[in-house]
């Protein structure tokens, strides 16, 4: 019986501790309490922001978003259960901020992840994906700025001195959004041209000479128009690295369409003619073939053998140059983000 009584007593104590709201003796104590919860969110928020900026893994980005949501849920729960100080106005302002961020992460950012899957399929899809991302980031930044305004107002009301930090999340988010704005704008300038090369190589893989020529002309025109557009692009913090790397990519597309693609197309036409001659000859019994037919076929064999060597060389050079162009732009983009996104 005594053992049961002890257990019941302990249970009653636990229940009392749960249902009794946390109280605070002064404003500074309450601000510290809220600040600790917001600090945990800030750390995970910045991990998520950096993952979006630097991570190549969608799984990593999604994982950090889930961790951030858990942190926000825990903070909301603790603040809701605790009493406010000097009424619930400031408490409700903090909860509004956290609930908005939770909503953004659950809906806006979740939709952005889904949009990314199809973003590469067309310029319109890519533009919609980037615009949605920028709008969500802007909402998040504005919410953070509102939180910080309320934080300092509460501190001032209760005569609490706050030492401002240059590493506050609001400042870092504002800078990050400006960096991404330049980065995203430049990527759209590039993608508007690049998508034409995607269509070009779809036509090439289908051996559709007419479509190859049409898409090659479209890519050439888009690349030249892109070069003109780049002349009007501004630098970010005196950094024109992305502009220059994009310019090199456009120059590659022009060389590809004017010098490489015609040689590859000539081979496809030659090979198509060769296959026709070969098929026609195969349909004729060997003893019934004329000397002229055999000579014409042998001549084509020599032509196709020479053409294959040139085709392979041009194709290899083109692939190497394309990879160098892509790597150059990717490295430039990564370095640009690393250089301008604030560190911890």
């Amino acid at each position: 019986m005594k053992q049961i009584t002890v257990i019941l007593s302990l249970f009653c104590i636990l229940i009392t501790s749960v249902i009794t709201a946390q109280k605070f003796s002064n404003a500074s104590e309450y601000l510290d309490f809220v600040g600790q919860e917001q600090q945990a969110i800030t750390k995970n928020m910045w991990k998520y922001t950096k993952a979006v900026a630097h991570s190549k893994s969608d799984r990593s980005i999604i994982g950090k978003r889930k961790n951030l949501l858990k942190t926000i849920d825990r903070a909301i729960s603790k603040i809701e259960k605790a009493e406010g100080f000097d009424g619930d106005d400031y408490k409700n302002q903090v909860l509004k901020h956290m609930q908005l961020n939770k909503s953004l992460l659950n809906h806006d950012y979740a939709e952005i992840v889904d949009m990314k899957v199809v973003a590469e399929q067309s310029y319109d899809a890519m533009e919609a994906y980037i615009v949605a991302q920028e709008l969500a980031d802007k909402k998040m930044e504005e919410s953070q700025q509102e939180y910080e305004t309320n934080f300092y107002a509460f501190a001032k009301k209760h005569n609490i001195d706050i030492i401002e930090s240059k590493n506050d999340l609001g400042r870092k988010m504002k800078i990050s959004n400006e960096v991404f704005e330049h980065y995203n704008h430049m990527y759209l300038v590039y993608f508007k041209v690049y998508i034409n090369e995607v269509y070009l190589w779809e036509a090439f893989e289908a051996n559709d000479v007419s479509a190859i020529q049409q898409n090659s002309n479209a890519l050439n025109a888009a690349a030249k128009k892109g070069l003109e557009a780049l002349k009007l692009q501004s630098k970010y913090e005196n950094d024109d690295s992305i502009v220059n790397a994009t310019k090199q990519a456009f120059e590659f597309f022009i060389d590809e369409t004017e010098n490489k693609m015609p040689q590859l197309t000539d081979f496809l036409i030659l090979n198509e003619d060769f296959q026709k001659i070969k098929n026609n000859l195969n349909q004729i019994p060997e003893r019934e073939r004329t000397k002229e037919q055999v000579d014409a076929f042998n001549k084509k064999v020599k032509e196709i053998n020479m053409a294959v060597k040139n085709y392979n060389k041009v194709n290899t050079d083109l692939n190497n140059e394309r990879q160098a162009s892509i790597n150059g732009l990717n490295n430039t983009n990564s370095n640009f983000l690393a250089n301008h996104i604030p560190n911890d």
Side-chain angles (χ1 to χ4, degrees):
M1 290 294 292
K2 290 182 179 178
Q3 186 178 7
I4 293 174
T5 302
V6 172
I7 292 173
L8 286 174
S9 299
L10 287 173
F11 182 71
C12 289
I13 291 170
L14 289 172
I15 289 292
T16 303
S17 68
V18 170
I19 63 176
T20 301
Q22 186 173 353
K23 297 181 180 180
F24 305 91
S25 59
N26 56 64
S28 180
E29 190 177 309
Y30 185 71
L31 209 58
D32 285 342
F33 162 71
V34 172
Q36 286 177 357
E37 298 307 316
Q38 182 62 25
Q39 180 72 10
I41 293 174
T42 297
K43 288 181 179 178
N44 281 332
M45 177 74 79
W46 192 238
K47 287 179 183 177
Y48 175 70
T49 302
K50 289 198 299 181
V52 173
H54 302 294
S55 177
K56 305 295 183 183
S57 169
D58 290 340
R59 182 178 298 178
S60 173
I61 294 172
I62 293 171
K64 285 180 172 55
R65 182 167 65 87
K66 288 180 178 178
N67 288 337
L68 177 54
L69 279 167
K70 290 179 182 177
T71 306
I72 293 175
D73 279 334
R74 285 193 294 268
I76 288 174
S77 178
K78 290 181 70 173
I79 292 172
E80 282 179 336
K81 290 176 182 176
E83 288 187 1
F85 186 86
D86 190 21
D88 283 343
D89 287 350
Y90 181 61
K91 171 181 174 178
N92 291 334
Q93 289 169 350
V94 172
L95 288 172
K96 176 189 172 185
H97 163 69
M98 292 181 176
Q99 286 160 350
L100 174 59
N101 284 358
K102 178 181 176 181
S103 177
L104 283 170
L105 289 163
N106 270 328
H107 301 291
D108 294 50
Y109 285 102
E111 289 178 5
I112 288 168
V113 172
D114 293 336
M115 292 173 72
K116 186 177 181 181
V117 176
V118 297
E120 297 283 346
Q121 295 180 5
S122 71
Y123 175 79
D124 288 343
M126 178 59 72
E127 184 177 38
Y129 164 70
I130 288 176
V131 169
Q133 194 172 45
E134 289 180 342
L135 286 175
D137 289 345
K138 189 66 176 176
K139 289 179 186 177
M140 190 77 81
E141 178 194 334
E142 289 172 352
S143 176
Q144 179 65 25
Q145 289 175 344
E146 184 179 358
Y147 165 80
E148 291 176 10
T149 298
N150 293 331
F151 174 86
Y152 286 111
F154 181 84
K156 182 178 180 180
K157 178 181 178 182
H158 295 281
N159 298 315
I160 301 171
D161 291 329
I162 303 296
I163 301 174
E164 295 190 21
S165 169
K166 293 183 178 180
N167 293 320
D168 65 274
L169 181 62
R171 184 192 70 87
K172 291 193 289 188
M173 287 178 67
K174 185 175 188 300
I175 294 173
S176 296
N177 288 348
E178 291 172 354
V179 173
F180 274 116
E181 184 177 358
H182 179 78
Y183 170 86
N184 289 337
H185 173 71
M186 289 306 307
Y187 187 75
L188 276 179
V189 171
Y190 166 76
F191 191 83
K192 193 170 188 176
V193 178
Y194 163 75
I195 193 66
N196 290 281
E197 201 205 24
V198 174
Y199 300 148
L200 170 60
W201 282 96
E202 287 177 352
F204 193 85
E205 289 174 3
N207 289 327
D208 187 335
V209 173
S210 177
I212 290 171
Q213 292 171 337
Q214 289 177 359
N215 286 291
S216 182
N217 290 338
L219 175 58
N220 184 272
K224 289 179 178 177
K225 188 174 180 180
L227 285 178
E228 291 301 313
L230 289 179
K231 295 177 181 179
L232 304 176
Q233 300 305 315
S234 58
K235 304 175 183 179
Y236 178 82
E237 298 291 334
N238 209 34
D239 184 343
D240 60 355
S241 58
I242 296 183
V243 175
N244 291 333
T246 304
K247 179 175 181 288
Q248 291 174 5
F250 290 171
E251 289 171 346
F252 161 74
F253 291 142
I254 292 172
D255 178 66
E256 176 185 31
T257 53
E258 292 184 353
N259 300 315
K260 304 294 195 305
M261 197 53 61
Q263 297 183 66
L264 300 182
T265 306
D266 287 345
F267 172 79
L268 293 180
I269 295 172
L270 179 64
N271 189 53
E272 186 178 351
D273 290 342
F274 172 73
Q275 294 300 327
K276 287 179 181 178
I277 293 173
K278 181 180 178 181
N279 291 337
N280 290 336
L281 191 64
N282 287 339
Q283 292 175 7
I284 302 172
E286 191 171 341
R287 63 179 178 276
E288 296 180 12
R289 297 172 185 173
T290 65
K291 183 176 182 301
E292 288 76 9
Q293 290 172 329
V294 173
D295 288 344
F297 175 74
N298 289 335
K299 181 181 178 182
K300 276 295 180 187
V301 169
K302 290 181 180 179
E303 289 180 16
I304 203 72
N305 285 339
M306 291 179 61
V308 164
K309 293 180 180 178
N310 183 65
Y311 171 86
N312 288 338
K313 182 181 183 305
V314 172
N315 203 28
T316 298
D317 290 345
L318 186 57
N319 288 334
N320 290 337
E321 290 168 13
R322 178 185 299 102
Q323 194 59 53
S325 174
I326 292 172
N327 289 343
L329 185 57
N330 287 341
N331 290 336
T332 297
N333 287 339
S334 296
N335 290 335
F336 175 82
L337 293 177
N339 290 336
H340 295 290
I341 296 288
N343 293 320
D344 289 332

